Amino acid sequence: MTRDLSKRLAYAMDLGEATPDQRAQVVDAAQLVTAFEELPDLVQAMVLRWEQGPTPA
Amino acid sequence: MSRSTSKSGNVRAGSFCTLGDSGQTQAGTPMRCTETGDGKRARWRKAAGAVSASRVRKREPRTPRQRAADKLRQSEINYLRNAAGLPYTGALPRNKSQRAKLEAAGFIDPDGNITDHGRDALRRRDALDDKSDPTVSTGQPESFRFSGMDRAAEVAKEWAARDIDYEGRRRAKQKTPYDQELAEIAKRQGFDHRPQIGTREEVDKAVAAGWTEVWRGVQDSEHKTAADINGDMRDGHFQPGRGMYGNGVYTSTRRITAETYRGRDPYGSHPKQGYAPGCDFTEEDLEGVASPDSLLRIAIDPAARIVDYNDLVAEQKDWLRQNNDLVTDGVERNGAGVALGDPGRFAAARGYDAVRVVNRADGSFYPGWKESDDLDGLVPWFDQADQYVVLNRTIMMIQRVEDPP
């Protein structure tokens, strides 16, 4: 993981109000990658959704 | 200050007197003494052979509220009242709802006596007042930690009742570079009080005495320069940020990680001084320009209540499951569920001072990163440095700006 990816994911999780399970999924997936595109498709889609729109609880 | 008495020895109605060392008020505080009118006080005084009102008062039972007030100065009571969200009056509250607020804040017990938590608050206030000049050495490092308590249920109840405008909150999050909800929890816990500021020698001494040395690097943002951000960390509003492992103030035990976060990365794969197991980059391996005062050297109080990230996540899941009725409206998460879904906010609400993240990716480069496909956690002989996500600012001793690290 790089500084920029770490910041991006942290911001997206906060903005999207990720659940604990979603957070765990993102944190685990991010450990061994250096770019957003290397994340699993499911995680990428989740992060993009958080970044794009509101997520009512 | 004098005590006026009549010839018979009775205290005159309307006169002022000073109560002495009985612990009833601070010496020198004027207190109006009146005759009881029934002669009871005079009889007690006579029986005791006493002439001072304080000795008479010793015989009178004091209510818990009076006993608690006896031991506190007006300014101290006001400080606790303010911290509990009550207006200043200089007196401990008589009515139940206000007393309940002080009790809920943990400052007094049900008997009206000041608690350790309350004393902690006052001690810290006094200490910070005395320590206005950071160049004055205080000798051995001393803990000024403001201890929190488990307020998760209290926070959940309050947030669950809030009518949350999700779109508005989202817009607010986009505008603010810090987590306002965590800041609110921190304020409630007293975690937003100022940290200690130490000279280089004081921080050295603290580290030698067992405090944990950590580093924090920041860059200029849209809103503030790095120096402003770090200035606020020392002596401004507490504004915890966001992070992968929960929101809070991110620090690392490794200086190079902090250097990365202030915009300086190693330009080579291996340290100039040579590559050996565990051998880290140094200042001469870094490239990039850092802003002034963008790196903090911090010592973390060994008395801090710290939870490991893995334990915290397990605890959070258990707590949310057990308190399902508080954090959902039956089907979906309510405001409390959303707020406490972040590990940092949850930890702060539970009264933890910091979260320790062990051997997990921290976003920086380690020696050998160019050769390694998986640069984090898998670089031979080099584990990820521990990260401390600080939630309670009072556990920190920050090296002063005049002594750059």
Side-chain angles (χ1 to χ4, degrees):
Chain A
M1 188 166 59
T2 60
R3 174 186 62 210
D4 292 340
L5 181 58
S6 167
K7 285 183 175 179
R8 179 176 178 180
L9 296 179
Y11 191 73
M13 285 194 285
D14 193 58
L15 202 60
E17 297 171 342
T19 65
D21 287 337
Q22 289 169 331
R23 284 178 181 276
Q25 210 174 346
V26 173
V27 165
D28 289 345
Q31 295 297 307
L32 303 177
V33 302
T34 54
F36 182 75
E37 292 69 31
E38 295 172 25
L39 289 168
D41 291 345
L42 185 69
V43 174
Q44 279 190 42
M46 203 154 57
V47 171
L48 288 173
R49 196 171 65 243
W50 290 334
E51 288 175 337
Q52 282 163 7
T55 313
Chain B
M1 201 67 58
S2 65
R3 174 175 51 85
S4 41
T5 57
S6 67
K7 282 183 182 176
S8 64
N10 286 336
V11 179
R12 283 185 195 138
S15 65
F16 286 88
C17 67
T18 301
L19 300 180
D21 298 326
S22 62
Q24 290 167 350
T25 66
Q26 291 291 312
T29 306
M31 193 164 177
R32 188 171 288 273
C33 300
T34 58
E35 288 180 343
T36 57
D38 59 6
K40 191 194 288 180
R41 185 174 293 171
R43 283 202 301 278
W44 281 352
R45 292 180 58 193
K46 193 173 178 183
V51 289
S52 72
S54 64
R55 294 194 61 181
V56 172
R57 280 181 176 255
K58 274 182 184 174
R59 306 285 181 115
E60 294 178 329
R62 307 276 290 163
T63 65
R65 192 183 75 83
Q66 285 171 321
R67 279 202 306 274
D70 286 345
K71 295 169 188 168
L72 299 176
R73 295 191 298 268
Q74 253 191 6
S75 61
E76 291 174 328
I77 294 172
N78 274 339
Y79 181 76
L80 296 181
R81 289 184 65 102
N82 183 47
L86 298 174
Y88 290 147
T89 64
L92 288 172
R94 287 173 188 275
N95 74 51
K96 281 184 181 173
S97 67
Q98 290 200 352
R99 283 190 63 148
K101 278 197 175 180
L102 273 183
E103 271 186 58
F107 295 145
I108 59 172
D109 63 20
D111 292 334
N113 298 316
I114 185 166
T115 60
D116 288 344
H117 183 62
R119 289 188 193 291
D120 210 6
L122 294 173
R123 181 169 157 269
R124 174 154 185 81
R125 185 200 68 146
D126 292 344
L128 286 174
D129 287 348
D130 294 344
K131 207 171 157 48
S132 53
D133 181 359
T135 61
V136 177
S137 172
T138 56
Q140 288 303 309
E142 191 184 351
S143 175
F144 289 127
R145 168 177 170 260
F146 195 109
S147 57
M149 52 202 297
D150 182 6
R151 295 180 184 278
E154 175 191 318
V155 167
K157 279 176 194 161
E158 198 171 303
W159 252 294
R162 286 185 186 180
D163 183 17
I164 295 176
D165 165 18
Y166 287 97
E167 183 52 32
R169 187 153 86 173
R170 181 182 147 77
R171 281 197 300 272
K173 280 182 179 176
Q174 283 172 327
K175 282 181 188 167
T176 59
Y178 71 99
D179 180 356
Q180 290 174 309
E181 286 154 331
L182 177 55
E184 192 179 330
I185 295 171
K187 187 175 175 65
R188 184 178 295 228
Q189 292 281 24
F191 290 174
D192 61 329
H193 289 290
R194 285 181 297 167
Q196 293 188 67
I197 305 299
T199 61
R200 179 179 285 115
E201 291 72 28
E202 283 176 326
V203 177
D204 286 346
K205 204 180 276 185
V207 172
W211 292 48
T212 305
E213 182 182 45
V214 293
W215 305 85
R216 173 173 167 80
V218 294
Q219 285 179 293
D220 295 345
S221 72
E222 278 180 46
H223 312 275
K224 287 179 179 179
T225 64
D228 287 342
I229 294 169
N230 281 342
D232 279 348
M233 183 57 66
R234 289 188 183 94
D235 195 18
H237 289 295
F238 184 46
Q239 298 185 334
R242 302 180 172 95
M244 284 277 293
Y245 305 104
N247 293 347
V249 176
Y250 273 69
T251 64
S252 175
T253 54
R254 178 176 177 245
R255 179 175 176 149
I256 298 299
T257 298
E259 292 282 5
T260 295
Y261 277 86
R262 69 164 174 160
R264 303 179 76 206
D265 283 324
Y267 58 81
S269 177
H270 294 151
K272 263 187 176 179
Q273 59 170 332
Y275 183 45
C279 188
D280 203 355
F281 296 113
T282 62
E283 180 75 17
E284 59 180 10
D285 297 305
L286 302 176
E287 60 182 357
V289 180
S291 303
D293 190 24
S294 53
L295 183 69
L296 292 181
R297 181 183 180 222
I298 301 166
I300 292 182
D301 189 340
R305 190 168 169 237
I306 295 173
V307 61
D308 277 334
Y309 175 72
N310 292 344
D311 295 339
L312 173 67
V313 170
E315 183 179 326
Q316 183 192 28
K317 281 185 181 171
D318 280 349
W319 193 93
L320 291 174
R321 196 179 309 117
Q322 285 167 13
N323 293 276
N324 191 48
D325 54 329
L326 284 179
V327 295
T328 66
D329 58 11
V331 182
E332 292 187 323
R333 288 189 302 164
N334 58 22
V338 169
L340 297 178
D342 173 76
R345 285 185 217 132
F346 175 77
R350 290 283 276 176
Y352 289 114
D353 298 324
V355 180
R356 179 170 41 225
V357 183
V358 179
N359 205 20
R360 282 184 179 259
D362 63 12
S364 68
F365 297 126
Y366 286 79
W369 60 277
K370 276 186 178 171
E371 287 77 20
S372 172
D373 290 336
D374 307 310
L375 60 92
D376 284 315
L378 294 182
V379 177
W381 312 108
F382 215 117
D383 288 332
Q384 297 278 324
D386 289 355
Q387 302 169 67
Y388 283 81
V389 186
V390 176
L391 308 165
N392 180 354
R393 192 160 62 156
T394 68
I395 65 170
M396 297 194 287
M397 181 192 287
I398 302 178
Q399 195 160 302
R400 64 179 186 171
V401 67
E402 293 85 352
D403 292 335

